[in-house]
Structures are given as C-alpha cells and as structure tokens.
Coordinates of all heavy atoms in Angstrom, one line a residue:
V1 N 82.3 50.8 154.6 CA 82.0 51.6 153.4 C 81.4 50.7 152.4 O 82.1 49.7 152.0 CB 83.2 52.4 152.9 CG1 82.7 53.3 151.8 CG2 83.9 53.1 154.0
G2 N 80.2 50.9 151.9 CA 79.6 50.1 150.9 C 78.8 48.9 151.6 O 78.5 48.9 152.8
E3 N 78.5 47.9 150.8 CA 77.7 46.8 151.2 C 78.5 45.5 151.4 O 79.1 45.1 150.5 CB 76.6 46.5 150.2 CG 75.6 45.4 150.5 CD 75.0 45.6 151.9 OE1 74.3 46.6 152.1 OE2 75.2 44.7 152.8
I4 N 78.4 45.0 152.6 CA 79.2 43.8 152.9 C 78.4 42.5 152.6 O 78.9 41.5 152.1 CB 79.6 43.8 154.4 CG1 80.6 45.0 154.6 CG2 80.2 42.5 154.8 CD1 81.0 45.2 156.0
S5 N 77.1 42.5 153.0 CA 76.4 41.2 153.0 C 75.4 41.0 151.9 O 74.4 40.3 152.1 CB 75.6 41.2 154.4 OG 74.7 42.3 154.5
G6 N 75.7 41.6 150.7 CA 74.8 41.4 149.6 C 74.1 42.6 149.2 O 73.9 43.5 149.9
G7 N 73.7 42.7 147.9 CA 73.1 43.9 147.4 C 74.1 45.0 147.1 O 75.3 44.7 146.9
T8 N 73.6 46.2 147.0 CA 74.5 47.3 146.7 C 74.2 48.5 147.7 O 73.0 48.8 147.9 CB 74.3 47.8 145.3 OG1 74.6 46.8 144.4 CG2 75.3 49.0 145.0
K9 N 75.2 49.0 148.3 CA 75.1 50.1 149.2 C 76.2 51.1 148.8 O 77.4 50.8 149.1 CB 75.2 49.7 150.7 CG 75.0 50.9 151.6 CD 75.2 50.5 153.1 CE 74.0 49.6 153.6 NZ 74.2 49.3 155.0
Y10 N 75.9 52.2 148.2 CA 76.8 53.1 147.7 C 77.4 54.0 148.8 O 76.6 54.5 149.6 CB 76.2 54.0 146.6 CG 75.7 53.2 145.4 CD1 74.4 52.7 145.4 CD2 76.6 52.9 144.3 CE1 74.0 52.0 144.3 CE2 76.1 52.2 143.2 CZ 74.8 51.7 143.2 OH 74.4 51.0 142.2
G11 N 78.7 54.3 148.8 CA 79.2 55.2 149.8 C 80.7 55.5 149.5 O 81.4 54.7 148.9
T12 N 81.2 56.7 149.9 CA 82.6 57.1 149.7 C 83.1 57.6 151.0 O 82.5 58.4 151.7 CB 82.7 58.1 148.6 OG1 82.2 57.6 147.3 CG2 84.1 58.6 148.4
L13 N 84.4 57.1 151.3 CA 85.1 57.7 152.4 C 86.4 58.3 151.9 O 87.1 57.7 151.1 CB 85.5 56.5 153.4 CG 86.4 56.9 154.6 CD1 85.6 57.8 155.6 CD2 86.9 55.6 155.3
K14 N 86.7 59.5 152.4 CA 87.9 60.2 152.0 C 88.7 60.6 153.3 O 88.1 61.0 154.3 CB 87.7 61.5 151.2 CG 87.0 61.2 149.8 CD 86.8 62.4 149.0 CE 86.2 62.1 147.7 NZ 86.0 63.3 146.8
M15 N 90.0 60.5 153.3 CA 90.8 60.7 154.5 C 92.0 61.6 154.1 O 92.6 61.4 153.1 CB 91.3 59.4 155.0 CG 92.1 59.4 156.3 SD 92.5 57.7 156.9 CE 93.7 58.1 158.2
Y16 N 92.3 62.6 155.0 CA 93.4 63.5 154.7 C 94.4 63.6 155.8 O 94.2 63.0 156.9 CB 92.7 64.9 154.4 CG 92.0 65.0 153.1 CD1 90.6 64.6 153.1 CD2 92.6 65.4 151.9 CE1 89.9 64.6 151.9 CE2 91.9 65.4 150.7 CZ 90.6 65.0 150.7 OH 89.9 65.1 149.5
D17 N 95.4 64.4 155.6 CA 96.5 64.6 156.5 C 95.9 65.1 157.9 O 94.9 65.9 157.9 CB 97.5 65.6 156.0 CG 98.5 65.0 155.0 OD1 98.6 63.7 155.0 OD2 99.1 65.7 154.2
G18 N 96.6 64.8 158.9 CA 96.1 65.2 160.2 C 95.2 64.2 160.9 O 94.8 64.4 162.1
V19 N 94.7 63.2 160.2 CA 93.7 62.3 160.7 C 94.5 61.0 161.1 O 95.3 60.5 160.4 CB 92.6 61.9 159.7 CG1 91.7 60.9 160.3 CG2 91.9 63.2 159.3
T20 N 94.2 60.5 162.3 CA 94.7 59.2 162.8 C 93.6 58.3 163.2 O 92.8 58.7 164.0 CB 95.7 59.4 164.0 OG1 96.8 60.3 163.6 CG2 96.2 58.1 164.4
I21 N 93.6 57.1 162.6 CA 92.6 56.1 163.0 C 93.4 55.0 163.7 O 94.4 54.5 163.2 CB 91.9 55.4 161.8 CG1 91.1 56.5 161.1 CG2 91.0 54.3 162.3 CD1 90.5 56.0 159.7
T22 N 93.1 54.7 165.0 CA 93.9 53.9 165.8 C 93.1 53.1 166.8 O 92.0 53.4 167.2 CB 95.0 54.7 166.5 OG1 95.9 53.9 167.2 CG2 94.4 55.6 167.6
G23 N 93.7 51.9 167.3 CA 93.2 51.2 168.4 C 92.0 50.3 168.1 O 91.5 49.7 169.0
A24 N 91.6 50.2 166.8 CA 90.4 49.3 166.5 C 90.9 47.9 166.4 O 91.7 47.6 165.6 CB 89.7 49.8 165.2
T25 N 90.3 47.0 167.2 CA 90.7 45.6 167.1 C 89.4 44.7 167.1 O 88.6 44.8 168.0 CB 91.5 45.2 168.4 OG1 92.6 46.1 168.5 CG2 91.9 43.8 168.3
N26 N 89.3 44.0 166.0 CA 88.2 43.1 165.8 C 88.6 41.7 166.3 O 89.8 41.3 166.3 CB 87.7 43.0 164.4 CG 87.1 44.3 163.9 OD1 86.6 45.1 164.7 ND2 87.1 44.5 162.6
N27 N 87.7 40.8 166.6 CA 87.9 39.5 167.0 C 88.1 38.5 165.9 O 88.6 37.4 166.0 CB 86.8 39.0 168.0 CG 86.8 39.7 169.3 OD1 87.8 40.2 169.7 ND2 85.6 39.9 169.8
N28 N 87.6 38.9 164.7 CA 87.5 37.9 163.6 C 87.2 38.6 162.3 O 86.9 39.8 162.3 CB 86.3 37.0 163.9 CG 86.5 35.6 163.3 OD1 87.4 35.4 162.5 ND2 85.8 34.6 163.8
Y29 N 87.3 37.9 161.2 CA 86.9 38.3 159.9 C 87.8 39.4 159.3 O 89.0 39.3 159.2 CB 85.4 38.7 159.9 CG 84.5 37.5 160.2 CD1 83.7 37.6 161.3 CD2 84.6 36.3 159.5 CE1 82.8 36.5 161.6 CE2 83.8 35.3 159.8 CZ 82.9 35.4 160.9 OH 82.1 34.3 161.2
F30 N 87.2 40.5 158.8 CA 87.8 41.4 157.8 C 87.9 42.8 158.3 O 87.0 43.4 158.9 CB 87.0 41.5 156.5 CG 86.9 40.1 155.8 CD1 86.0 39.1 156.3 CD2 87.6 39.9 154.6 CE1 86.0 37.9 155.6 CE2 87.5 38.7 154.0 CZ 86.7 37.7 154.4
G31 N 89.1 43.5 158.1 CA 89.2 44.9 158.2 C 89.3 45.4 159.7 O 88.2 45.7 160.2
G32 N 90.5 45.4 160.2 CA 90.6 46.0 161.6 C 90.2 47.4 161.7 O 89.5 47.8 162.6
A33 N 90.6 48.3 160.7 CA 90.2 49.7 160.8 C 89.1 50.0 159.8 O 88.1 50.6 160.1 CB 91.4 50.5 160.5
V34 N 89.3 49.6 158.5 CA 88.3 50.0 157.4 C 88.0 48.8 156.6 O 88.9 48.0 156.2 CB 88.9 51.1 156.5 CG1 87.9 51.5 155.5 CG2 89.2 52.3 157.4
I35 N 86.7 48.5 156.3 CA 86.4 47.5 155.3 C 85.6 48.3 154.2 O 84.7 49.0 154.4 CB 85.5 46.4 155.9 CG1 85.2 45.3 154.8 CG2 84.3 46.9 156.6 CD1 84.7 44.0 155.4
V36 N 86.0 48.0 152.9 CA 85.4 48.6 151.7 C 84.8 47.5 150.9 O 85.6 46.6 150.4 CB 86.4 49.4 150.9 CG1 85.7 50.2 149.8 CG2 87.3 50.3 151.8
A37 N 83.5 47.5 150.7 CA 82.9 46.4 150.0 C 82.1 47.0 148.8 O 82.2 48.1 148.4 CB 81.9 45.7 150.9
G38 N 81.2 46.1 148.2 CA 80.5 46.5 146.9 C 79.8 47.8 147.0 O 79.1 48.1 147.9
G39 N 80.0 48.6 145.9 CA 79.4 49.9 145.9 C 80.2 51.0 146.7 O 79.8 52.2 146.7
G40 N 81.2 50.6 147.4 CA 82.0 51.5 148.3 C 83.3 51.9 147.7 O 84.0 51.0 147.0
T41 N 83.8 53.1 148.0 CA 85.1 53.5 147.6 C 85.8 54.2 148.8 O 85.1 54.9 149.6 CB 85.1 54.5 146.4 OG1 84.3 55.6 146.7 CG2 84.5 53.8 145.2
F42 N 87.1 54.0 148.9 CA 87.9 54.7 150.0 C 89.1 55.3 149.3 O 89.8 54.7 148.6 CB 88.3 53.6 151.0 CG 89.3 54.1 152.1 CD1 89.2 55.5 152.5 CD2 90.2 53.3 152.7 CE1 90.1 55.9 153.5 CE2 91.0 53.7 153.7 CZ 91.0 55.0 154.1
E43 N 89.2 56.7 149.6 CA 90.3 57.4 149.0 C 91.2 58.0 150.1 O 90.7 58.8 150.9 CB 89.7 58.6 148.2 CG 90.7 59.5 147.5 CD 90.1 60.6 146.8 OE1 89.3 60.4 145.8 OE2 90.3 61.8 147.1
M44 N 92.4 57.5 150.2 CA 93.3 57.9 151.3 C 94.3 58.9 150.7 O 95.2 58.5 150.0 CB 94.0 56.7 151.9 CG 94.8 57.0 153.2 SD 95.4 55.4 154.0 CE 96.2 56.1 155.4
N45 N 94.1 60.1 151.1 CA 95.0 61.2 150.6 C 96.1 61.5 151.6 O 97.1 62.2 151.2 CB 94.2 62.4 150.3 CG 93.2 62.2 149.2 OD1 93.5 62.1 148.0 ND2 91.9 62.0 149.6
G46 N 96.0 61.1 152.8 CA 96.9 61.4 153.8 C 96.4 60.8 155.1 O 95.5 60.0 155.2

C-alpha cells in the first residue's frame, strides 16, 4: 500500500471482520503480510 521505492503513490487498504490473511512468507526485507509506505494508509477494523 503506497510507494515503497521513492516518490508518492497514494492508496488505502481497509480490513474487516471475517477476513483472514495467512501463509505469506517473504525471504527478506519488510512486511510478511502487509507493507504500508509513503502516501499509503492501512485501517484494520477487524
């Protein structure tokens, strides 16, 4: 969500009850499930 590598990329993620994010495995760096960077917002309601 948003811009990771410079500049600005606007975006919003919202998450609610009943949603499951699972099993995501990265080899390196940042954010196994979600990465929120410049211009980005994440709202976790459930």
Side-chain angles (χ1 to χ4, degrees):
V1 188
E3 179 56 59
I4 294 173
S5 59
T8 301
K9 184 184 285 186
Y10 299 88
T12 295
L13 175 69
K14 298 183 180 183
M15 181 175 172
Y16 289 88
D17 283 336
V19 177
T20 300
I21 299 173
T22 187
T25 305
N26 292 339
N27 294 330
N28 211 345
Y29 297 123
F30 296 76
V34 180
I35 182 167
V36 190
T41 60
F42 175 28
E43 181 183 297
M44 188 173 181
N45 298 283

